[in-house]
């Protein structure tokens, strides 16, 4: 054994040591950048979707928060039981904002570890391609962190990599384990796992195509039953939510609703084309441009078809390596296409169709690396007198790929702000701190819906309605939020105190938060970073315009002229009125 280790050390040339050192430096630098989410004012920065999904876990420390809040039930509807359990335990001792970022870091670390595992199956450990794979993984860990930021989909990427590991390794135990974890953490991945199962059986030699079709039923049937049980579990844990929120929407009934029209909440989801779904998998996408992506995709698909045509190498299910990685890409891509087709056919019942391509991308990445490696081998065999040419082709191709990955991974950022999409300014911090510290737990807050997105996560108080929850996934909940918004608009943009008092009596809202920016005659009411400068979203724009028409300095709003003990907070930007004291 000692002789073998000595030979291994001797084989490590200075060039190999330099490669390993450079890779380790880049890996360390990439992982350090993940900590950017905790720099500066990190406690006041979150990823935007965290606000609508994670606030409910504040109940882990204080069960009296969000009493009888239908929006809390709606938030949990999109979260698998495994993620719920982890967040409920973690948030018992940690604030939910911190917990969401720690979960994101955990997911990013798992991404890197599983990337290394796949790389060790496709290439020799500590080979050049192995290190290139790790540098790519850690470079994108930063992107995964800022894109996912502690959401349930944080586990989609590591689970996708685990499925690829299970596919590349012989045997089905790890594959079933991946299915169980997907049922607990990411049903999206479970759909792809189920559709990929026949290809896994083929790789393991349980399905034969040549010389004649054959299926080893003794082993294939228990495997299929195990996957079916995982799918059944997903259906069962959704039943309590459906009992409260009702059935999931049928897109064919909703596609003409204003929410899907230009100016609505989801105009981009009215028509999901295959090209858009393939190109816009944001958790993994690379900024190659449409032409570059198309060219890379065609080259990879062609190589994968060749690898499939060659069939399994000698050794059958024990085979691993670049050729199997290329076949994996093709089979994963077919499974992703089928899953996406189901999502479009059943949408919105299977939700965002493009997310079913996320499990395909790790297979595409390693398929690309495998293609580079096989081209290198081919050139090496054909150009035995000029091995430098083959090495140069491999090095330049890999470097270009890594450079694009780094740019996409956030290296263009030069500021020191936390890498989150929502940053709370000083005036709003004062407001949110007041709501958290001074309002009773039973308070219900109303105001600009874009502003109300931040109240549950930062102030731990219920809101009447907000922007992020105008989602037509559950029709009964969606209609309730639409009705609430229609009731809010005349009470917010009013000159008459009786309208406000009637709104309080009919809705039970206890506090109104007024943004002075909304009341300016030259201002644009209810805008935000996700609305594009327009007057809020359809179908509410006409009512807002009607309520604000003809407004000028000679006709002050009710809130501007209010001098009462009901005004419980005021700063340069916001006003809080206790409607119970009017």
């Amino acid at each position: 054994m000692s002789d073998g280790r000595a030979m291994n050390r001797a084989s490590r040339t200075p060039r190999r040591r330099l490669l390993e050192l450079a890779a380790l430096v880049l890996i360390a630098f990439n992982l350090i950048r993940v900590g950017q989410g905790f720099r500066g004012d990190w406690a006041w920065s979150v990823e935007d979707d965290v606000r609508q999904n994670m606030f409910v876990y504040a109940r882990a420390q204080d069960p009296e928060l969000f009493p009888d809040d239908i929006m809390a039930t709606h938030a949990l509807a999109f979260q698998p039981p495994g993620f719920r359990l982890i967040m409920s335990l973690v948030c018992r001792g940690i604030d939910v904002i911190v917990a969401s970022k720690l979960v994101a870091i955990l997911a990013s670390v798992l991404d890197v570890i599983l990337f290394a595992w796949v790389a060790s199956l496709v290439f020799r450990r500590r080979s050049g391609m192995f290190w290139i794979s790790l540098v790519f993984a850690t470079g994108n860990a930063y992107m995964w962190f800022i894109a996912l930021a502690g959401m349930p989909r944080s586990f989609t990427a590591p689970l996708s990599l685990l499925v690829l590991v299970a596919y590349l390794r012989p045997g089905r135990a790890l594959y079933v384990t991946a299915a169980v974890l997907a049922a607990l953490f990411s049903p999206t991945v479970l759909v792809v796992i189920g559709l990929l199962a026949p290809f896994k059986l083929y790789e393991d030699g349980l399905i034969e195509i040549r010389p004649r079709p054959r299926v080893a039923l003794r082993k294939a049937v228990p495997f299929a039953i195990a996957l079916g049980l995982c799918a059944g579990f997903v259906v069962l844990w959704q039943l309590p939510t459906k009992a409260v929120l009702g059935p999931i929407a049928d897109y064919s009934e909703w596609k003409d609703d204003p929410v899907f029209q230009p100016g609505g909440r989801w105009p981009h989801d009215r028509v999901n084309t295959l090209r858009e779904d393939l190109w816009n998998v944001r958790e993994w996408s690379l900024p190659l441009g449409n032409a570059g992506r198309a060219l890379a995709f065609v080259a990879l698909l062609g190589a994968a078809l060749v690898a499939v045509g060659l069939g399994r190498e000698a050794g059958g299910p024990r085979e691993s390596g670049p050729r199997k990685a290329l076949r994996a890409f093709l089979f994963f891509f077919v499974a992703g296409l089928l899953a996406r087709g189901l999502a479009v056919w059943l949408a919105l019942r299977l939700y965002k169709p493009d997310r079913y391509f996320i499990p395909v991308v790790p297979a595409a990445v390693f398929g690309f690396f495998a293609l580079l490696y096989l081209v290198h081998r081919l050139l090496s065999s054909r150009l035995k007198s000029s091995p430098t040419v083959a090495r140069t082709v491999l090095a330049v191709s890999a470097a270009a790929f890594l450079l694009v990955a780094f740019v996409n991974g956030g290296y263009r950022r030069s500021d020191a702000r936390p890498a989150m999409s929502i940053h709370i300014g000083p005036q709003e911090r004062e407001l949110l701190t007041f709501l958290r510290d001074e309002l009773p737990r039973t308070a219900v807050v109303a105001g600009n819906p874009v502003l109300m997105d931040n109240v549950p996560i930062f102030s731990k108080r219920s809101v009447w309605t907000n922007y992020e929850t105008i989602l037509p996934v559950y029709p009964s909940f969606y209609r309730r939020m639409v009705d609430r918004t229609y009731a809010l608009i005349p009470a917010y943009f009013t000159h008459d105190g009786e309208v406000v008092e009637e709104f309080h009596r009919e809705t039970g809202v206890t506090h109104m938060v007024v943004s002075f920016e909304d009341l300016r005659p030259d201002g644009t009411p209810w805008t935000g970073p996700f609305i594009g400068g327009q007057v809020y979203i359809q179908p509410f724009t006409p009512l807002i315009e009607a309520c604000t028409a003809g407004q000028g300095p000679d006709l002050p709003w009710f809130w501007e002229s209010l001098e009462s003990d009901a005004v419980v907070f005021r700063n340069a930007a916001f006003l809080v009125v206790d409607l119970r004291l009017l």
Side-chain angles (χ1 to χ4, degrees), residues 318-462:
R318 293 180 297 278
E319 173 221 344
S320 188
R323 265 179 50 181
K324 190 170 185 179
L326 277 172
R327 286 204 308 274
F329 160 69
L330 180 64
F331 294 152
F332 271 69
F333 178 68
V334 171
L337 277 179
L338 293 173
R340 187 255 179 197
L342 282 175
V344 171
W345 180 43
L346 297 174
L348 299 161
R349 299 179 187 276
L350 282 183
Y351 207 40
K352 300 271 189 177
D354 61 307
R355 295 185 180 177
Y356 293 88
F357 284 120
I358 296 176
V360 181
V361 183
V365 169
F366 278 100
F368 183 77
F369 286 146
L371 180 58
L372 291 181
Y373 180 76
L374 292 173
V375 169
H376 168 258
R377 281 178 51 183
L378 178 63
L379 290 176
S380 297
S381 64
R382 297 293 178 89
L383 301 173
K384 293 181 180 179
S385 60
S386 302
T388 304
V389 175
R391 295 194 188 102
T392 302
V393 170
L394 177 63
V396 170
S397 302
F401 187 83
L402 291 176
L403 178 62
V404 170
F406 286 175
V407 170
N408 195 54
Y411 287 83
R412 292 168 295 183
R413 290 177 178 266
S414 58
D415 56 74
R417 296 184 307 167
M420 302 286 114
S421 59
I422 300 299
H423 310 281
I424 306 300
Q427 299 290 341
E428 190 175 345
R429 292 182 198 177
E430 291 182 13
L431 167 68
L432 296 173
T433 300
F434 171 82
L435 297 178
R436 181 193 64 203
D437 296 341
E438 302 299 331
L439 267 58
R441 294 178 179 83
T442 55
V444 180
V445 185
N448 182 326
V450 179
L451 175 63
M452 291 298 102
D453 285 337
N454 297 328
V455 172
I457 190 73
F458 289 105
S459 300
K460 314 297 189 291
R461 293 298 180 267
S462 297

Side-chain angles (χ1 to χ4, degrees), residues 48-60:
D48 69 300
D49 284 346
V50 167
R51 300 173 301 167
Q52 74 182 48
N53 289 281
M54 300 294 101
F55 72 89
V56 68
Y57 293 109
R59 284 175 171 171

Side-chain angles (χ1 to χ4, degrees), residues 6 28 38 65 92-93 118 135 211 233 309 316-317 351 387 399 502:
F38 289 90
L65 291 174
R92 288 184 179 182
V118 177
V135 171
F233 173 77
Y351 207 40
E502 182 180 359

Side-chain angles (χ1 to χ4, degrees), residues 62-362:
D62 188 348
E64 296 182 8
L65 291 174
F66 310 111
D68 302 319
D69 192 338
I70 190 67
M71 296 175 73
T73 303
H74 182 262
L76 288 173
F78 298 93
Q79 302 178 37
F83 185 85
R84 292 187 196 180
L85 177 62
I86 287 180
M87 288 297 294
S88 297
L89 294 175
V90 172
C91 289
R92 288 184 179 182
I94 302 176
D95 182 76
V96 62
I97 295 176
V98 180
S100 68
K101 296 183 179 184
L102 291 176
V103 167
I105 288 180
L106 171 63
S108 296
V109 171
L110 289 175
D111 287 329
V112 175
I113 293 172
L114 288 164
F115 230 92
W117 194 354
V118 177
S120 69
L121 294 173
V122 178
F123 310 106
R124 297 190 310 276
R125 281 195 180 99
R126 303 178 71 173
S127 67
M129 293 304 297
F130 176 82
W131 286 114
I132 288 172
S133 301
L134 282 192
V135 171
F136 172 84
T138 54
N140 277 271
Y142 174 77
M143 182 184 71
W144 296 328
F145 172 57
I146 65 174
L148 308 176
M151 296 284 293
R153 64 175 183 265
S154 296
F155 293 98
T156 301
L159 276 171
S160 301
L161 284 162
L162 182 61
V163 175
L164 183 55
V165 170
Y167 179 87
L168 293 173
R169 286 171 56 89
R172 290 153 301 285
L174 185 59
Y175 196 88
V176 172
T177 301
V180 172
L181 292 174
L184 291 171
F185 292 96
S186 182
T188 298
V189 178
L190 182 61
V191 174
V192 178
I193 286 175
L195 295 170
L196 186 67
F199 301 111
K200 170 61 177 172
L201 294 177
Y202 166 77
E203 290 288 1
D204 283 359
L206 301 184
I207 293 180
E208 293 288 354
I209 306 298
R210 295 175 297 186
R212 60 178 182 176
R214 182 186 65 85
V215 179
L217 293 178
R218 181 178 297 180
K219 295 182 179 179
V221 169
F223 177 66
I225 291 175
L227 297 182
L229 290 174
C230 293
F233 173 77
V234 171
V235 174
L236 288 176
W237 68 253
Q238 289 180 329
L239 291 179
T241 299
K242 291 183 178 181
V244 177
L245 298 178
I248 296 176
D250 183 344
Y251 176 74
S252 63
E253 300 174 1
W254 283 85
K255 63 182 179 180
D256 294 325
D257 189 88
V259 74
F260 288 113
Q261 304 304 314
R265 177 72 171 82
W266 273 9
H268 52 283
D269 287 326
R270 189 172 190 272
V271 179
N272 286 87
T273 66
L274 179 59
R275 184 186 66 82
E276 290 174 341
D277 288 346
L278 279 173
W279 274 194
N280 296 320
V281 183
R282 68 173 180 172
E283 282 80 356
W284 297 85
S285 61
L286 296 173
L288 295 170
N290 288 342
R293 292 184 188 185
L295 183 62
F297 174 76
V298 170
L300 187 54
L301 186 61
L305 288 169
V306 172
V308 170
L310 294 175
R312 293 191 300 263
E313 295 177 2
R318 293 180 297 278
E319 173 221 344
S320 188
R323 265 179 50 181
K324 190 170 185 179
L326 277 172
R327 286 204 308 274
F329 160 69
L330 180 64
F331 294 152
F332 271 69
F333 178 68
V334 171
L337 277 179
L338 293 173
R340 187 255 179 197
L342 282 175
V344 171
W345 180 43
L346 297 174
L348 299 161
R349 299 179 187 276
L350 282 183
Y351 207 40
K352 300 271 189 177
D354 61 307
R355 295 185 180 177
Y356 293 88
F357 284 120
I358 296 176
V360 181
V361 183

